Amino acid sequence: DINAIGGSSATICPSILPPELVAKIDFSTDGFKFDQFRSYWKHVSDDADGIRLLTPHERQLISKIIASHKKGENKKGENSMKQSWRGDISSSLETIEFRDLPQVLSSCGSVHRFSLIWERMCANNRLWDIVRPRVDMTNRCAYMLKTFEDRDDNHMHDISKLPYKLINPSEKVDVWVFGIFIYQLCSGGNPFHTGYQGDLRGVDAYSRLHHWNKVEADKSIREHIQDPLAQDLLRRILLPASERLPNMTAVLRHPFFSPTSTEAERYLEKHEEMQLLRENTVVVSKVTGVTSRMLEDSMEKYSRIAFSTDRIAFPTCFV
């Protein structure tokens, strides 16, 4: 058995995976690795290509016809039944004919055999939609999840042929996934562009996850999370593996989980002070002579008030 995350036998939800599970291939220097990846997953991509010859409506009809025949709803004799399933599937096709189906399907001699192949191809189509590389032609690179084949009904493929190192299970992966759940709970969304079924949408989402860093995390958390304790917790969780809290024990020690504790109260007081400081801070992008004099006058004014004197005998920049 392979002790790694990303096996095809498990349900893979890209939107909750950490950055270390996304690989990047640069075409200008490592184009051969892209070919390695396609070769490893060829048995899956070929089935996906065959399924995508059909429209979604055609796929739905074929699945219904197969289910109907498998349940024996057609009570005719064996010979007529043999002809019936082919005829029913042919009638369901809108864009191609039965003989134009992938050869593994069109050559089937029974509905049982057709059903087995069809189910395998549909499963591989769903899998390929997850594991397929996301190509960025502008930057001449591709991103993909660090996945591998481990299903019982597929022969084991040599993982040494994969263009990336697999990721072992670790508590840091669990910490990231937990962080995504907390983020979703507090914001109602995901830090990455995702679809309805938890898939990452577009190459930009994969690129952002791969290049995720402390700056990106702080920006996303500040913009979408209002709870100050949740902000602080997520700034320690949603980070690259080397900077992330090591385990759930460390996570659960955070004052987010004991908001009435002394530690939580101290943090909230500090947060309020920093918030007040930010609200009363003005950023001057360009200091002119006039601006500089205004700042000096302002500091002198507050120094006179603070020390109850009109005579300033020290640089006000020290105040």
Side-chain angles (χ1 to χ4, degrees):
D1 291 341
I2 302 172
N3 183 32
I5 300 172
S8 57
S9 63
T11 300
I12 301 172
C13 183
S15 64
I16 65 172
L17 297 180
E20 58 266 31
L21 260 77
V22 180
K24 177 183 178 181
I25 294 177
D26 189 329
F27 293 152
S28 60
T29 57
D30 297 318
F32 70 96
K33 291 184 177 180
F34 186 76
D35 296 332
Q36 281 184 305
F37 181 86
R38 292 300 301 250
S39 177
Y40 182 89
W41 288 108
K42 188 175 186 301
H43 65 293
V44 173
S45 63
D46 283 351
D47 279 353
D49 290 342
I51 288 293
R52 291 174 188 183
L53 290 173
L54 304 167
T55 66
H57 184 240
E58 287 173 324
R59 297 175 210 170
Q60 186 179 33
L61 288 176
I62 290 175
S63 294
K64 286 182 177 180
I65 290 168
I66 291 173
S68 174
H69 280 273
K70 285 179 68 177
K71 289 178 180 178
E73 290 181 1
N74 189 324
K75 302 299 183 180
K76 298 178 182 179
E78 183 177 345
N79 290 335
S80 60
M81 188 174 182
K82 180 178 178 180
Q83 298 299 323
S84 175
W85 71 267
R86 280 177 168 268
D88 289 347
I89 291 176
S90 296
S91 299
S92 71
L93 300 176
E94 303 164 342
T95 57
I96 61 174
E97 296 184 11
F98 189 91
R99 64 173 180 268
D100 298 321
L101 290 171
Q103 196 269 337
V104 291
L105 288 174
S106 62
S107 62
C108 289
S110 69
V111 68
H112 177 71
R113 178 62 180 167
F114 189 98
S115 172
L116 291 176
I117 301 297
W118 177 257
E119 289 173 2
R120 185 202 75 198
M121 293 180 70
C122 287
N124 280 341
N125 179 52
R126 292 189 294 270
L127 177 61
W128 183 242
D129 196 46
I130 294 172
V131 306
R132 66 181 175 85
R134 269 59 178 184
V135 177
D136 183 350
M137 292 305 299
T138 302
N139 297 302
R140 293 190 51 75
C141 65
Y143 300 92
M144 67 279 295
L145 301 178
K146 295 179 181 179
T147 52
F148 62 97
E149 180 65 273
D150 69 340
R151 290 174 294 178
D152 292 337
D153 57 347
N154 283 271
H155 62 282
M156 293 299 294
H157 292 265
D158 185 359
I159 61 172
S160 67
K161 296 180 179 179
L162 286 167
Y164 44 74
K165 291 184 179 180
L166 298 178
I167 303 299
N168 294 330
S170 73
E171 289 187 84
K172 284 199 171 188
V173 173
D174 297 335
V175 167
W176 172 276
V177 173
F178 185 75
I180 292 294
F181 290 151
I182 294 293
Y183 187 103
Q184 292 175 329
L185 181 67
C186 294
S187 71
N190 190 287
F192 307 98
H193 185 199
T194 62
Y196 177 73
Q197 296 182 331
D199 53 314
L200 291 175
R201 287 298 179 92
V203 67
D204 289 342
Y206 281 81
S207 174
R208 186 169 185 238
L209 178 56
H210 176 77
H211 294 103
W212 189 254
N213 55 40
K214 190 172 184 177
V215 174
E216 283 288 324
D218 185 68
K219 179 183 177 182
S220 179
I221 292 166
R222 188 174 62 252
E223 291 178 354
H224 298 100
I225 307 297
Q226 294 185 354
D227 185 331
L229 290 174
Q231 286 183 353
D232 186 71
L233 173 63
L234 292 173
R235 287 191 179 103
R236 301 167 189 263
I237 290 180
L238 297 183
L239 295 172
S242 60
E243 304 171 68
R244 197 179 307 152
L245 288 178
N247 49 51
M248 287 303 298
T249 300
V251 170
L252 295 176
R253 288 198 193 105
H254 192 276
F256 175 78
F257 298 101
S258 53
T260 60
S261 66
T262 303
E263 186 181 358
E265 291 177 0
R266 281 200 300 264
Y267 177 81
L268 290 172
E269 288 174 2
K270 181 180 177 182
H271 174 79
E272 290 177 3
E273 291 173 1
M274 294 302 297
Q275 186 70 18
L276 184 63
L277 181 61
R278 278 192 292 267
E279 291 173 356
N280 288 276
T281 299
V282 177
V283 177
V284 181
S285 58
K286 183 178 181 181
V287 179
T288 63
V290 174
T291 305
S292 178
R293 185 57 200 166
M294 288 175 63
L295 291 173
E296 291 176 6
D297 291 343
S298 175
M299 286 186 284
E300 290 179 7
K301 174 184 176 183
Y302 287 110
S303 294
R304 292 190 185 99
I305 295 173
F307 297 102
S308 302
T309 181
D310 291 331
R311 187 176 180 181
I312 304 301
F314 53 86
T316 57
C317 61
F318 291 163
V319 178

